[in-house]
Structure formats: structure tokens, C-alpha cells
Amino acid sequence: MKSVADKEGLEILKTFDFLSTPAFIIDEELTILTCNTSAFSFFQYEAADIIGEKLGTFISFVDSLPAGETFQRTFPPSVATKSAAHFLSACRRKNGYVFTAKVSVIPYRDHRQDLRIAVVQDVSEQKKLQEKATQRTKELFIFKTFAEILTKHTSTDGLMRETVGMLIPVMDIDAGLIYLTDPDTGGLRLAVRTAARDFSGIPETVKPGESLVGKVLQSGKPLLVRKASEDPRVTLIRTGERGVESMAAVPLSSKGTILGVLAVASRRQSNFTSMDIQLLKTIGSQLGVAIENLKLIGQLQGQMRQIELINELSGIINASLSIGTIFRMMVSEIKKLIHYDRASLLLYNEKKDNLLIFALDTEMKTIMKKGVTAPIEGTSAGWVVRNNSPWISYDLKDTTFALDRKLLDEGIRSTISIPLYHDRMLGVFNFDCVEPSKYSEKDLQILLPIAKHISIALENALLFEEISREKKEWERTFDAFTDMVWIEDGSQQIIRANHALLAKTGFSKTEITSRHCCDLLDKLGVTISKCLCSETLTSKRPSFQEFKGTAGNMFHFWAYPLIDEEGRLYAIVHYLKDVTAQKRLEQQLIRSDKLASLGTLVAGIAHEINNPLGIIAGYSEALLDRAREQSLLNAKEFEDFPEYLTTIHSEIFRCKGILKSLLEFARPSGGTFREIDINEVIKEVLLLLQHRTARLKHTIELDLNRDVPKIFADAGSLRQLLMNILLNAIYFTPEGGSIFIRTAPDNAGEERESGRCPDFIRLTVTDTGTGIPGDQIDKIFDPFFTTKPVGEGTGLGLTICHKIVKEHGGTIDVESEVGKGSTFIIKLPAMECRE
């Protein structure tokens, strides 16, 4: 070796030889001028291979160097100064072995120039020990933290996210990933992705054998990639700039089953070592066991919730028989296990072969409303009915049911339909979601057992509703009778009464229960001497009675026995009908028949009698004219003849007046019908009677409604009608009595509310006279019936009134109480509502 150093420099190199430490003398350009013997042996080079070479050939000036990397040829900034510098550097021997050394560069000047001495101390073993200590510390921290994570989390997602979040800062990595196996595809699905900084290009799904994580899944072994951009195993993941440069992946396993893959990534090359792989393997196995345990715990909790739900539903079934209530409570419980955006209950109508939307639970805007029917064909719900099997629509965009696309238009993407069957098809339970592929076989495992309980509840509720509907129909029918109906038990106590009876008696439903029929009859003004249904109690057959109330009302009564299967009478239906109006109508019909027959007879007789009366009247007039002659007046024998002739003449015309009334009664008057104001006719008639009422000191009070509608009538007939009624009232009212005349639209209040014109006008004439006895009131309209003394009445006045009212399409009735007076009620059709 030809030395280029002075004596002092050589002594320094020998000193380092004594310490077995390589040393170089270099110039400012990093060129090796000379070195000691230790440098030759340490780096395994000959002198000719070292002297004259750059120091960077053997020392990289960085603390580590990946295999194959070129050494740095320039000084680091600290070496460029004239002061001493110390740094760790990667060194390489001739055989390619790279080790870490501590390099010290010390300024040195010989007699010619400024030089430096570079001293190399191998610290690779110390660094390995330090790395092992650091790794052990890191492992202990990771295991301690991981143990805390395992004990803290009860959800798989939280466990995985916190585990990855813990690894990123401790391992100084850029991203942590966890893929879980997808049972449907057999591949991997990204479950957790946590990055310390912006990190893109991570695939969501990976097939077995695809990319690094797919290969780990396929082989079940961990893999390490030092330079991802040149490694063919890394696909689907962005590498290079802003991408992955090194990766490590280990399987997540439990009891030999791979559940997923844990992967860590860095943008730095060779960021992971075999020790990191060992660490990740331990975490992966523990995490796999934890995931499996949480999965089992979740399944157990799901089964427990399912059992709780079934128990809850059993309670609901026992607590209510209303389908609507059961539906609301059921969906509330089911929502704890299964998400839905719309739940619906469709009932199957076997007769019409369609589905009826009975209940709905949703906040969505939808055309599906309660009461809307859906066809069987073309719908998934209809398929469920036909096949008695559940159906899952993973995505309605791919549905084969044409009518289900209406759900897609409303935003529904996935559905699940469960049949409700108990001895017969009852309906379908539907759950809809706006997310695709929301439902799976797992949901069926939850819903199918529940559907059995729902079917039982639905069957019971349908039966109950049918019974309730029939009961309500029976109750409505029972209360719809306008006649009085009640039911008594075997002890003759009332157990039920209809609305008509309650209204007539004033009892409430509660008050009437357990009473006897005598209590009801007392309220109705009926006094009986024996039980109405005694005959039915004895014979067990229907019975009938007719009786009269204290107020003169007539009643028909029927009793119908209720017999059980053993022939025992357990109740009696009582039917009471007030036939007073019917009896009056019958009497009116009989009276009308009498009047019609009498009219025909009178018409014939009147014509026959009128002719001889006319002849007699003519002769009587002639005799009266001759009786005025003076010669006859002077004859004593003729003294009484004028009086006799006058009497004969007046009685003849009286007979003609009676015959005229009979003819008017027997045939239409032939008057002129026109629009008439009834109030004006009343005033005209009162003017004619003014003298008579004044003489008898009668008071006539008028209450004439100005809004009463006009009528279409014959004015002459109306005057005759009013004259006859008022003359009767004046005759039977004692001196100083009162007569009240009122007009009003009939049912005026109801018409004003409805806005419709009244059908009739109502005219009432009330007097304070003697009244009509009850045994005579049904005869007053009969021809020739009168209570006046002989010679004062013909008995045709009210008969003619009845005929006039009938000719005008109206009705005439009378109410009277002996000693208090009478009221005649006349109803005539209004002009506006006349057909």
C-alpha cells in the first residue's frame, strides 16, 4: 500500500487497527486516500479496490438501504461542514451484505491539505437488539390495547374499527383494512377501511385468489409485499405515487375457518418485516375468534329476541281480538328485528280471488291505501297466496311480476312477503324497503315462526269480527223497528229493549234491564189485569192481543217464544205496535167507502126528488100570487091560506137546499182551481161571520204565517169549507168563548234546515167549546150525523168539508177533549211542491 498520509495520520489508522475498527482518510471529494488494515478485512476488499474509490461505494450515508439500492455518492449536509459529524449509515461488504454502522467523520489536516478521517463502527447487532426491544414494546402495547378492545366491544363492527384504528399509529402505517367473507359469493367484502391520510384505490369486493387479500383467503397463509408496484400479487389496488408500496395481510380465522382478511398498507417500501407478520397473525387469530364469538352471541341474542317477540305476540293475541290493534302492535315489535319502510297486511278474499289492503304502517306517500284491492296475478303477494310459500324480491328492477313495478315507481326496491295460513289461506304480510337486497334468508328464519302466531291471531280476529259484525247487524235490525220490541228472560225480566221502546218510555238501557213489562205498560198508559204473555208461557206458542190505552190509543201485541235445543223456553220476544193511526185510517177508508156509496145513491135520489119539488114550488108560487088578490083576502075562510102557502113555499126551498148540498157532496163541484192565498180566504170568511161572532161575544184570535206558501184550489170550495168549520166552532162554543185560527208551513223547521219548500200548509181551528165525546169523534164526518137539535143541522156540513179537502189532495183530522174544546187540523198541498 502506497501511503499518501503523513506520519501522524498513519499513527491514527494504526490506533483504530488496534481497536479493530475500520478507518479511512478521505479528501473533501469523499475520495479514499488510504485506510487501515481493519477496513480491508471488514469490507473484504483488496487495497487496490478501496484506495481511490469514493466513500459512497461502501457507505450509503443513510441508516438503512433496501436490497439492490445504489449507495449515495455525496456527503450528507452534516458531513460537508468542517466540524465533526456522527451518523448511522448502511454499509455494504464485497459479498453484498449490508449492515448498519455508526460513521464518525472527523476533520484532519496534514502538512499539505484539509482531510477527514471516517471511522466505521458496526452497530447492526445493537440495532437488532434495539429493534427487538422496540418490537417487543410495540407488541406488548398492541396486545394490551387489543385485550381491552376485545373485552369492551359487543358489536363486530366496533371491534374491527377500533382494532384497525389502534394499529395505524402504533405500526406507523397509512391504512388498515378488514375484509369479511361473503357467504353468498364466497369472496371478500370490505368491512372496515381506516386511513391515516387520503388513501384511495381500495376495492369493495375481492374474489378468491384475486389481489393480495384474495390470495390470503385462498391459501389461508399470511403474505408480505415489500414493493407493491413491482409485485404481481398486488392487483385492484392503486400502487406507486399516492398508492400502496408495501403491504402485509393475514387471515382472520377461528377453529380452522377463515372469516376474513386483515391487511395493513404503507406508502413506504419495505415498511413491514417478518416480525410484523407474526404480530398480525396473532391479532388475526384472536380477532377471528372474537368475531366468531360475537357472531354466535349475536345469533343467540337474535334467537332470544325472536323468542321474546313470539312471547310478546302471544300476549298480544290474548290481549286483543281487533285485527287493526294486533297489526299495529305486531309491526311495532317486528321493527325491533327487521327494518322496513312500509309494512302491510293483505287479507285474501277467496270468493273474489283478490287481496284487500287491510292495514298499513308507513310514512311514505303511496297509492296503497286501506281498502284498496290488489289482484292475485302479476303480484308477488299473489304468488305467495297461490303457493303458500314466502317470497323475497331482492331488487324490483329485476322483478318478474309486472304489477310490482308500481312499487318500484314509489321508490321501493326490495320486498319480503310471508303467507298467513291457518287451515286456510288468510292473507299476506308484506315488508318493503327503499334499499335493494335488504332482505335475506335470515329474515325468513325470523318471520316464518312469527307468521304462525300471526296467522292464529288473524284467524281468531277474523272470526271475532265476523261474530261482532253479525251481532251489530242483529242489533241494528232490532233497533230499526219503529214499533216497540223487548225480550224477557224465563223469569219475565227484561234483558233487552229497542230504541223505539226506550224513546216511548223514557228509560235508558241500564234502567230498563231487569224490569217487568208492567213497568213499561204503565209508562205507555196501558192498564192490564193479567200478564200479556201468560198464554205463550203456558203453551210455548206465539200469542196475540188487542187492547186500548187509557188515552184511547189502540195497541196490537204479539209474544213469540224462544226455545232451546232441548225444548225449554228461555226467553220471550214481545212486540207492541201502536195501531191508533192505522185504526183511524181504516175508519177513514170505511167512511170514504160509505161516502162514495152514499154519494152514488144520493145523486140518483136527488134528481128524482128535485123534479116534483120544482113542480110543487111552481104551484106554490102561483098560489101565493093569487093569494094577494083582494077578493080572496076579504074572504074569512081564506084568512090562514097566505101563511100556510108561505110556509109550504119556504119548506120546499129548504128541501131544495138540502138536495143541492147532497148533489154537491155526490159530485165534483166543477169550480175553478187557481192560485190561492189561504190567509186572504180566511179574512174574507171572517167578514161574513163578523156579525154573528159579535152578537155571541166570541173572541177570534189569528196567527197567520205570512210565509205560508200559496195553494192551488177552488176559492168557492175553500170558503164553504172554512164557513162550515167556523160555524160549527161558533155553535158549540158558549157565549164569550174563544176561537183560534193558525196557518203555517207543515214541518216548517225541517224545511228551513234542508232548504226545500214545505210539501203542505197547515190550517188549525181551535175552539173552547164543549168538545166531542170519545164515542162520537169517529162519526163526525159521516153523512147525516149531527148532535144539533132536529131542524138546526142536516149532518152534511163536516161531510162536505171532508169531501172538499179530499178533492184538494189534503187531509182533515180532529182532536178533542170534552169540556175543553176541539181542534180541526187541515193540511193542503203547497203550490210550489205540487206535481
Side-chain angles (χ1 to χ4, degrees), residues 103-104 106 211 222 347 380 459 516 668 734-735 801:
V103 179
S104 299
I106 305 168
S211 190
L347 298 183
S380 55
E459 174 75 4
H516 293 276
E735 185 176 339
C801 289

Side-chain angles (χ1 to χ4, degrees), residues 376-437:
I376 296 294
E377 306 303 328
T379 62
S380 55
W383 185 93
V384 170
V385 169
R386 288 280 189 262
N387 297 274
N388 190 19
S389 296
W391 178 267
I392 299 176
S393 293
Y394 296 100
D395 194 338
L396 289 181
K397 286 187 175 181
D398 303 323
T399 184
T400 57
F401 300 102
L403 296 181
D404 279 7
R405 294 192 176 276
K406 292 184 178 180
L407 304 180
L408 183 63
D409 295 339
E410 294 184 347
I412 297 299
R413 291 292 300 275
S414 56
T415 67
I416 185 169
S417 302
I418 309 296
L420 300 176
Y421 185 90
H422 188 253
D423 297 331
R424 64 187 179 98
M425 180 56 66
L426 302 173
V428 180
F429 219 158
N430 275 351
F431 295 94
D432 307 331
C433 184
V434 296
E435 301 176 25
S437 302

Side-chain angles (χ1 to χ4, degrees), residues 147-180:
E148 294 174 354
I149 293 172
L150 291 177
T151 57
K152 180 172 65 174
H153 282 282
T154 57
S155 72
T156 303
D157 186 67
L159 172 65
M160 294 188 299
R161 288 189 182 280
E162 189 162 351
T163 299
V164 173
M166 176 266 297
L167 291 175
I168 287 179
V170 176
M171 296 186 69
D172 190 23
I173 58 177
D174 293 303
L177 313 170
I178 293 181
Y179 284 86
L180 294 180

Side-chain angles (χ1 to χ4, degrees), residues 204-219:
E204 293 290 329
T205 58
V206 177
K207 297 178 181 178
E210 191 177 44
S211 190
L212 184 68
V213 291
K215 294 184 184 302
V216 172
L217 171 67
Q218 190 176 54
S219 65

